[in-house]
């Protein structure tokens, strides 16, 4: 079983739709949860991060973490064509040294928002 | 623009050759991470350096090595290249050792091995 599982999609939605992206994970040591956006041929761009369980909102984006279910989500409200990209979830362990600082990524979900 | 720079943008080489990828972290960042992105494996952590010292290793092949210099730039050396090494190589940086939530990625180097 991979440490982080993410449905690769592709996901195609009309402009203005609410988008839900999800990841599951198996490593209970993960403490930090992130979402990155990657446009074609570009480097990943940090969108959101959350420490431990809970919700975090930033504009049209909401990140949710449920550690009991080992499940994280990213919601995009009022989606725009400019949101079309690959969305990657990423996780890392706590600050206890060793290789806990590395990011473990899902494979990414390709999202297309159609005008 | 994340502030992380990587050179070259593209690299085309032959099997068996050796290449060097270069990364300059954001101003003030002490920690540098290298990642490999391929279609089948996704983004995979290779190695981390902090202030010149190796701190963590991931799925890095023995044919690959890296170092971080006193001016904090880093180089990733890939030798005895194989077709399967064709991928995007990203460098990321963070201000401190823990990185975690605040890793900023460069634009990547696209390596093609023919």
């Amino acid at each position: 079983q991979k440490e982080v599982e993410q449905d690769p999609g592709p996901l195609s939605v009309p402009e203005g739709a609410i988008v839900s992206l999800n990841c599951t994970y198996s490593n209970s040591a993960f403490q930090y949860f992130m979402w990155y956006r990657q446009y074609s041929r570009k480097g990943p761009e940090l969108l959101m991060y959350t420490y431990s369980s809970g919700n975090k909102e930033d504009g049209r984006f909401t990140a949710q973490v449920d550690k009991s279910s080992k499940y994280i989500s990213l919601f995009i409200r009022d989606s725009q064509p400019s949101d079309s990209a690959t969305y990657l979830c990423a996780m890392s362990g706590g600050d206890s040294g060793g290789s806990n600082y590395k990011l473990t990524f899902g494979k990414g979900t390709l999202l297309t928002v159609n005008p | 623009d994340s502030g992380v720079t990587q050179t070259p943008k593209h690299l085309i080489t032959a099997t068996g050759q050796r290449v060097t990828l270069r990364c300059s972290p954001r101003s003030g960042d002490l920690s540098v991470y290298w990642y490999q992105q391929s279609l089948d494996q996704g983004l995979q952590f290779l190695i981390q350096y902090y202030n010149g010292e190796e701190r963590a290793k991931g799925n890095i092949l023995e044919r690959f090595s890296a170092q971080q210099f006193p001016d904090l730039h880093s180089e990733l050396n890939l030798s005895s290249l194989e077709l399967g090494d064709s991928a995007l190589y990203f460098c990321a940086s963070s201000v401190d050792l823990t990185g975690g939530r605040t890793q900023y990625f460069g634009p990547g180097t696209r390596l093609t091995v023919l």
Side-chain angles (χ1 to χ4, degrees):
Chain A
Q1 182 188 9
K2 284 188 174 293
E3 277 192 299
V4 180
E5 299 274 7
Q6 183 176 9
D7 186 340
L11 184 60
S12 182
V13 302
E15 183 175 353
I18 296 175
V19 176
S20 172
L21 303 166
N22 312 292
C23 288
T24 59
Y25 64 95
S26 58
N27 189 343
S28 56
F30 288 143
Q31 296 286 341
Y32 293 96
F33 303 90
M34 286 135 279
W35 287 94
Y36 281 81
R37 177 174 64 194
Q38 186 176 22
Y39 292 112
S40 182
R41 298 180 178 274
K42 301 288 186 184
E45 172 194 358
L46 180 63
L47 275 179
M48 302 278 289
Y49 79 86
T50 310
Y51 173 70
S52 196
S53 283
N55 296 356
K56 188 169 185 177
E57 188 173 320
D58 184 1
R60 297 185 295 110
F61 298 90
T62 299
Q64 289 185 351
V65 175
D66 181 350
K67 289 189 70 179
S68 63
S69 302
K70 295 189 175 69
Y71 187 88
I72 71 170
S73 302
L74 177 71
F75 297 95
I76 306 174
R77 289 183 299 281
D78 187 25
S79 56
Q80 303 295 309
S82 58
D83 295 328
S84 298
T86 296
Y87 289 80
L88 300 146
C89 62
M91 309 175 190
S92 72
D95 300 337
S96 56
S99 59
N100 284 334
Y101 313 134
K102 68 171 186 175
L103 293 179
T104 301
F105 283 86
K107 282 197 171 183
T109 300
L110 178 60
L111 170 68
T112 301
V113 181
N114 301 299
Chain B
D1 185 352
S2 67
V4 179
T5 60
Q6 289 187 248
T7 56
K9 285 188 178 178
H10 303 280
L11 204 47
I12 301 175
T13 188
T15 55
Q17 295 299 304
R18 173 189 168 95
V19 297
T20 297
L21 314 182
R22 182 188 169 105
C23 166
S24 292
R26 295 186 324 154
S27 177
D29 285 2
L30 298 177
S31 205
V32 168
Y33 309 75
W34 285 97
Y35 292 84
Q36 179 193 58
Q37 186 175 39
S38 60
L39 279 174
D40 56 340
Q41 295 294 322
L43 259 170
Q44 299 274 313
F45 168 74
L46 294 178
I47 197 163
Q48 178 199 5
Y49 276 82
Y50 175 75
N51 205 19
E53 292 187 9
E54 181 185 305
R55 283 293 184 166
K57 264 187 172 180
N59 302 320
I60 188 166
L61 299 171
E62 284 191 14
R63 300 182 286 109
F64 296 0
S65 65
Q67 58 187 130
Q68 188 179 26
F69 294 86
D71 67 352
L72 300 177
H73 90 272
S74 178
E75 292 181 356
L76 179 67
N77 301 296
L78 315 176
S79 61
S80 302
L81 285 168
E82 302 175 359
L83 295 176
D85 298 327
S86 296
L88 269 168
Y89 291 84
F90 289 104
C91 165
S93 74
S94 66
V95 65
D96 56 19
L97 183 61
T98 63
R101 60 198 181 276
T102 54
Q103 289 187 32
Y104 296 91
F105 281 75
T109 293
R110 181 174 295 276
L111 174 66
T112 302
V113 182
L114 301 175

